[in-house]
Amino acid sequence: MNGVTVLTESETEVVVVGAGPTGLMLAYELALAGVETLVLERLPRRVEQVKGGGIQPRTAELLESRGLLEPLLERVTPGEPVGGHFAGLPVPLDCAPWQTRHPFPIAVPQWEIEEVLEERVTAAGTRVLRGAAVSGVEPDDEGVSVTAGGLRVRARYLVACDGGHSTVRKLLGLPFPGRPGTHQAVLADIRLSAVSSLVPRQLGHMSTLMRRSGDHWAMLAPLGGDRYRFTFGHADRADPSDQADQADSIRDSPVTHEEITNALHALYGPETTLGAVDNSSRFSDATRQLEHYRAGRVLFAGDAAHIHPPLGGQGLNLGLQDAFNLGWKLAAAVQGRAPGDLLDSYHSERHPVGAQVLHHTSAQRVLADPNPGEDVAALRDIFTDLLRLPDANRHLAGLMSGLSLHYESPGGHPLTGRRAPDADLVTDAGPARLSTLLAAGHAVLLDLGGTVPADLGLPPRVDLVRATCTDDLGATTLLIRPDGYICWAGDGSTATGTTLVAAIADSLAKVS
C-alpha cells in the first residue's frame, strides 16, 4: 500500500484509555450497567511491579461491595495487619472509630490488582486491547474519534485513565497546573541473595521499614522469600530549581544494578547482596491537578487527572474511587437515564477530593523530609505527640483511609452525602450485609420502617429492599447510590406519605 496505513474502523459506546487499576475498575462498572466499552492500553503486556501496593479501608469496602475483594485477599503480601501512617510518623492510624469491617490497609501488589480486575472485565464481555497506543483524539458534540495504531474507534465518550503523563491530556492540549518534582526516587522489585541484620524480616508499620544513612534514605519492604520492594533516594539539599531540572532530565533514564547495590550497601551494609532486579522505575514528588475533570465528551480519572507525592498510600485508592464515582454516572448518561447535570457532578464531587489529597500529601512531604533540619525535626516531634491523641488520630485515620469522605449533597439530613455503613440486615430473603445489596451496581432504596409505598414506581437499576436492622443507622429509609453513598435519608417523623414519595422521587432522578 506504498506505506499508507489502512485503519480498521470500529464503534463502541465508551473508550477507556489505560488498563491500570483506574481504567479497569471503570470498565467493570460500565460492564455491570451493560455499557459497551473498549479499553485501549499502549503496553503490550502488564508490568508485574508492586507500585501502589496498598488498598485503603474505604477502597476495600467498595471492592467488597462488588465482590472483588475476596480474590484480592488471596494475593495479600504476608505480614501482620498494621494501621496506616501519616508522613511515616511512628504512630499507627486507628480506623476502628470509623466502624469499618476493614480497619487496616491491605497489602496487594498493583499488578495483581490489575490482573483480578482484568479477569472480571473480560469475563463481563469488555474488550481490552493491548499494544494500542493512542495517537489521535478528536472530540465533537456527538462523541469522540480515537486513533490507536491501525484502529480508529468512534465512541460516545472517552475516559482518559492513562497516567500522570497522559497522552490524551497532551493531545487535547490541556494544561496540568501544579508544582514540578524537586527530586527523583527509585522503586524497584528486587531479590536479595544475602541479608544483614538491618534488613526487615516482615512487613510492619512504615516507620519501622524506613532507614537513613548519610545522603541515602530507603524503605525496604519484605514481600515473602527473597523478594523485596526497595524504595530509595538521596537526601540532598540542592536548590529547588536545580532539583526540578535534574528530576526532569533523569526521569526516563534506566535504573542500574550498580545504583541499587550502592544504596543497599549504604543503608543495609555490604553483606546485603543483590540477587536480581525484577523491575524498576523512577518517580518524583510532583504535584499537579487538572482544572476540570471533564472536557465535553472526554473525562479524566486517576493519575491522568491528578498526581502527588506517593505518601500515605493514596494514589491507587484515589483513582479507584474516581472510577466508582464516575462509572454509574457515565452509564446513566450513555443510556439516557441521567439528568443533564449528573455527569458534571463527577467533577464537582471528585475534584475537591483530589485537591484534598494533594494538600495533605504536600504537608506529609515536609514532615517526611529524609534529611530534616532542626525545625522540621521539632515539628515531627510535636506532630507525633498529637497523633497519640484519640481525636487527632481519628481525624487523620478518616482522612487517609477515605472513611471520612462525604460529598456535599442537597437535603437536610445529616447522613446525606456520607458512606452507608455495612450493617447486618435481615431481608425477606434472609440475613444479608448491606454491602451485598450493591453487588450489581444498582442504587438501593432501603426501607427499614415499612414506610415506602408498595406501589412506588422505581426506575430501572434502583432496587427496593425491605429489611430490619438491630443497629440504629440514623434513619428508617435510606436511598443509597451505586457507589455506596447516601443521597437521601428520612424517617417517620420527617417524611411520610406524599412527602416521602416526593422526596424519594426527586432523589431517584439523581441516582438512576
Side-chain angles (χ1 to χ4, degrees), residues 226-507:
D226 63 349
R227 298 171 54 243
Y228 292 81
R229 182 193 195 212
F230 189 35
T231 310
F232 67 91
H234 294 274
D236 55 56
R237 290 194 175 279
D239 179 81
S241 60
D242 292 340
Q243 289 178 321
D245 292 341
Q246 292 170 8
D248 289 339
S249 66
I250 68 173
R251 184 188 70 204
D252 298 323
S253 62
V255 180
T256 66
H257 280 53
E258 180 183 14
E259 186 178 356
I260 296 173
T261 296
N262 289 341
L264 282 171
H265 287 176
L267 290 151
Y268 300 97
E271 59 271 42
T272 300
T273 305
L274 179 63
V277 178
D278 292 337
N279 49 63
S280 59
S281 60
R282 300 185 190 275
F283 64 91
S284 81
D285 61 342
T287 298
R288 299 184 182 278
Q289 185 179 29
L290 271 176
E291 293 180 350
H292 302 284
Y293 286 7
R294 181 183 181 186
R297 294 277 176 161
V298 180
L299 299 107
F300 295 83
D303 287 355
H306 42 68
I307 59 172
H308 54 82
L311 292 162
Q314 299 295 293
L316 179 147
N317 295 271
L318 187 59
L320 286 175
Q321 292 182 42
D322 285 347
F324 274 101
N325 185 286
L326 176 58
W328 64 275
K329 297 175 180 178
L330 182 55
V334 168
Q335 295 170 345
R337 297 182 285 106
D341 60 349
L342 180 62
L343 194 52
D344 288 331
S345 74
Y346 165 63
H347 167 82
S348 63
E349 289 186 342
R350 292 305 297 173
H351 192 276
V353 176
Q356 183 182 59
V357 171
L358 267 63
H359 187 66
H360 72 64
T361 51
S362 293
Q364 290 182 76
R365 176 165 53 181
V366 175
L367 290 167
D369 188 335
N371 189 20
E374 184 177 343
D375 291 346
V376 172
L379 181 63
R380 285 175 58 88
D381 290 342
I382 296 295
F383 218 93
T384 300
D385 288 340
L386 289 173
L387 276 176
R388 295 190 174 100
L389 301 177
D391 286 349
N393 193 294
R394 179 184 183 277
H395 172 73
L396 288 178
L399 185 69
M400 301 300 288
S401 66
L403 294 171
S404 64
L405 168 64
H406 69 278
Y407 296 120
E408 296 297 328
S409 300
H413 200 283
L415 291 179
T416 304
R418 299 188 179 276
R419 84 186 217 280
D422 189 12
D424 290 310
L425 308 173
V426 178
T427 71
D428 293 341
R433 284 167 52 183
L434 192 151
S435 62
T436 63
L437 306 180
L438 299 168
H442 293 186
V444 172
L445 179 57
L446 180 62
D447 181 12
L448 299 172
T451 57
V452 177
D455 60 351
L456 177 66
L458 296 179
R461 301 187 64 79
V462 180
D463 301 330
L464 172 61
V465 178
R466 301 186 191 276
T468 59
C469 181
T470 57
D471 296 328
D472 181 5
L473 299 187
T476 57
T477 311
L478 302 169
L479 182 57
I480 304 167
R481 304 181 344 176
D483 57 353
Y485 289 88
I486 299 166
C487 63
W488 184 87
D491 55 47
S493 64
T494 59
T496 58
T498 57
T499 303
L500 172 65
V501 173
I504 290 176
D506 180 65
S507 295

Side-chain angles (χ1 to χ4, degrees), residues 13 40-41 56 68 70 96 170 192 195 200 210 237 275 338 367 399 420:
E13 291 179 310
L40 300 176
E41 169 55 51
Q56 291 286 359
L68 293 167
E70 185 175 351
K170 293 175 182 177
L192 297 180
V195 299
M210 294 290 297
R237 290 194 175 279
L367 290 167
L399 185 69

Side-chain angles (χ1 to χ4, degrees), residues 115-135:
E115 186 172 74
V116 168
L117 291 177
E118 188 166 347
E119 287 173 358
R120 292 297 184 93
V121 163
T122 54
T126 296
R127 293 176 295 162
V128 179
L129 183 60
R130 292 187 173 273
V134 170
S135 58

